[in-house]
Amino acid sequence: MTNLSEKRQLERLRYIDLCSYVLGFVNRKLLMNRFEVKQAWATKDFKSYQEKSGNQLEYDHALKAYKPKGGFTPIFEHSVNEAFELISSGSQTIICEPDIAKTTLSYRIKNVEPKLENIYAVLRGVYLSSKVDIEYISRTSGRTKRTIAPHTLLHTGAFHYVRAYDYKTDEFRSFKMNRIISSTVIHQTPQGFECKASDKDWSEEIELTIVCNGDLQNKAAIEYDYGLINGQLKIKIKKALLMFFLMDWNIAPQGYKDLPQALFPLKVGSTKIID
């Protein structure tokens, strides 16, 4: 086997490892679609992965896929961004030209990232529609253990969140993933009232009218920044995402009249529920 073919197989083994870790399953179809290899090559890759990992996967006939055994440990290192990219958009970043990647032509302010080993089970729970036990640090109740039924991942500002039904409070809530200390999939399917379709704040939309916050100097600059037309901008957004949106855009919520214009150049003029 040439060095090039060894390198390509290593990429495929990493993908098997990542899917097993984050999605909770992997099969030949996933591998064949991602790398455009034939079934025979995919079969060889799974055999090679099993040899290298100590047979950490077992075949599930119901899933028609391999799933990680209890105590599964990834044999490669994966970044949390790789995991979010895979489960959020079904994609994986490929560096097309190493020389371009090494050239600093742009800069991105670093996000605050959760530890993948703490939250991988939550990602599996989202994908497999399973309940998850988590240990969580809350600003109000401190360190607690609770069971959640996660349904959607959120990324806003510097943080990642997961939207989930919380069995401790019997309501849908958004959990900051940096505060999850540990997580374990418990392979129980949520009931109807615990699922995404029953999350009223997630399904309900509201329309916001955004306007400038007070009599700003050079108001036109702010209007150009945010695309205001005739002094206002109408935004439709899920009710569950309202506060995240206001924080992301530094928009003063209704009822907070004295927030400084320098930090909050915009404010909510009005809201209405969309039927």
Side-chain angles (χ1 to χ4, degrees):
M1 186 179 287
T2 66
N3 288 336
L4 180 58
S5 59
E6 287 176 355
K7 181 180 178 181
R8 287 175 175 172
Q9 187 189 50
L10 190 63
E11 291 175 352
R12 298 195 296 272
L13 298 184
R14 279 184 57 85
Y15 193 67
I16 292 173
D17 198 53
L18 179 64
C19 290
S20 302
Y21 194 30
V22 175
L23 302 182
F25 87 99
V26 63
N27 57 23
R28 287 179 295 187
K29 183 179 178 181
L30 286 175
L31 202 63
M32 291 161 65
N33 288 343
R34 166 64 181 83
F35 294 97
E36 297 183 343
V37 294
K38 295 186 180 298
Q39 184 171 316
W41 277 106
T43 300
K44 290 179 182 178
D45 290 335
F46 274 97
K47 182 179 179 180
S48 179
Y49 181 83
Q50 290 285 62
E51 291 173 354
K52 291 179 181 295
S53 69
N55 291 305
Q56 288 202 92
L57 303 180
E58 60 184 359
Y59 192 78
D60 187 307
H61 291 278
L63 284 175
K64 295 182 179 179
Y66 290 91
K67 65 180 183 180
K69 294 180 180 178
F72 173 87
T73 303
I75 62 174
F76 298 97
E77 289 189 10
H78 306 284
S79 73
V80 71
N81 285 327
E82 283 183 291
F84 281 126
E85 188 177 17
L86 174 64
I87 198 168
S88 299
S89 59
S91 61
Q92 189 180 32
T93 297
I94 301 172
I95 297 176
C96 300
E97 176 50 63
D99 288 341
I100 295 177
K102 294 175 184 176
T103 305
T104 306
L105 297 177
S106 66
Y107 189 81
R108 183 176 180 179
I109 296 175
K110 182 177 175 60
N111 289 334
V112 182
E113 298 175 352
K115 294 180 179 179
L116 183 55
E117 61 265 30
N118 293 354
I119 57 100
Y120 74 89
V122 176
L123 304 185
R124 283 192 201 177
V126 171
Y127 196 80
L128 298 175
S129 298
S130 295
K131 297 180 184 179
V132 180
D133 284 337
I134 63 171
E135 191 170 2
Y136 188 75
I137 300 179
S138 167
R139 293 181 65 180
T140 55
S141 53
R143 189 164 177 162
T144 61
K145 292 183 178 180
R146 59 181 78 199
T147 300
I148 63 173
H151 67 67
T152 305
L153 302 176
L154 314 173
H155 180 209
T156 176
F159 295 100
H160 293 274
Y161 295 81
V162 61
R163 185 75 179 172
Y165 184 82
D166 177 26
Y167 291 88
K168 181 181 179 182
T169 59
D170 290 325
E171 63 182 2
F172 287 96
R173 300 180 62 185
S174 298
F175 293 89
K176 185 178 284 188
M177 300 194 78
N178 293 68
R179 296 180 183 170
I180 297 175
I181 303 169
S182 63
S183 57
T184 307
V185 176
I186 55 178
H187 299 292
Q188 294 178 6
T189 303
Q191 300 181 48
F193 70 93
E194 304 158 351
C195 296
K196 183 178 182 177
S198 297
D199 189 346
K200 184 178 178 182
D201 285 352
W202 188 259
S203 58
E204 190 173 87
E205 279 196 328
I206 57 176
E207 183 179 79
L208 307 176
T209 300
I210 308 299
V211 298
C212 287
N213 185 15
D215 188 18
L216 297 172
Q217 185 179 7
N218 296 320
K219 184 184 294 188
I222 299 301
E223 292 179 343
Y224 270 93
D225 272 348
Y226 294 95
L228 273 62
I229 299 174
N230 296 324
Q232 65 178 25
L233 175 67
K234 293 189 180 295
I235 297 283
K236 294 179 181 179
I237 193 168
K238 294 178 183 293
K239 188 176 181 181
L241 301 180
L242 174 59
M243 292 310 297
F244 297 113
F245 170 69
L246 298 182
M247 288 188 293
D248 253 13
W249 280 37
N250 289 345
I251 299 174
Q254 288 179 302
Y256 293 84
K257 299 179 180 179
D258 300 323
L259 293 176
Q261 297 173 359
L263 295 177
F264 298 90
L266 301 176
K267 68 178 181 180
V268 176
S270 63
T271 65
K272 71 173 183 179
I273 296 175
I274 301 174
D275 296 326

